């Protein structure tokens, strides 16, 4: 299945959740209570347990902008790790290179961050990496190639970045992000119920 390249607001309305984590994709700042499309307002039946679990899975998949195949692989891998299955999944998602480029503020969206990686602008520990799904390790330094640190799109994005998560450290002068530690659950999106995602994949 090809990667989704349509508008974020359709994905957000479909799952009733801001996939950009900002709410800006909801028209005029007001979330409509129904999904997109001609018959979106007609779907008023109480959702089944399966539907609730599916929606939760889609929320996270849309937010991190990854394919179903990639997502399922991470779910399987996180289940083999020590600790809480759902929290392990979020940790693996946060460790993706495109996500940390977004967390650094080099791009305003994860989709834009993936584009920076794909085009070869990003380095990890000084070496170019052009694979968005690359797994960044604790202690790794994510930056941009020296010639790309003043790209207009990067500069504009950094100017809009006012806050970063506490599990990364950012050097303003060098424009470098260090992945300092594993994120705590309380530092991630509180509107996600990762246990429902685990339940979804346990039944399919």
């Amino acid at each position: 299945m090809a990667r989704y390249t349509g508008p974020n607001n359709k994905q957000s309305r479909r799952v009733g959740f801001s996939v950009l984590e900002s709410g800006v994709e909801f028209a005029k700042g007001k979330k409509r209570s129904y999904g997109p499309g001609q018959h979106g307002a007609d779907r008023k039946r109480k959702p089944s347990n399966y539907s609730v679990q599916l929606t939760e899975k889609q929320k996270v998949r849309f937010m991190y902008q990854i394919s179903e195949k990639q997502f399922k692989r991470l779910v399987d891998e996180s289940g083999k790790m020590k600790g809480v299955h759902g929290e392990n999944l979020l940790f693996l998602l946060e460790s993706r290179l495109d996500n940390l480029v977004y967390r650094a503020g080099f791009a305003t969206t994860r989709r834009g961050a993936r584009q920076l990686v794909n085009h070869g602008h990003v380095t990890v520990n000084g070496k170019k990496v052009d694979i968005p799904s690359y797994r960044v390790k604790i202690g790794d330094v994510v930056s941009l190639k020296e010639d790309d640190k003043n790209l207009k799109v990067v500069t504009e994005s950094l100017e809009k970045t006012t806050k970063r998560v506490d599990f990364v450290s950012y050097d303003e002068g060098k424009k470098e992000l260090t992945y300092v530690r594993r994120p705590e659950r309380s530092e991630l999106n509180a509107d996600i119920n990762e246990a429902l995602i685990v339940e979804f994949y346990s039944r399919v």
Side-chain angles (χ1 to χ4, degrees), residues 18-46:
S18 173
V19 300
L20 296 181
E21 297 187 277
S22 63
V24 298
E25 66 269 46
F26 289 121
K28 298 181 180 179
K30 296 181 180 180
K31 183 174 72 172
R32 300 183 189 183
S33 60
Y34 53 87
Q38 180 180 358
H39 304 291
D42 297 330
R43 303 187 184 107
K44 296 180 180 179
R45 291 184 300 175
K46 182 179 179 179

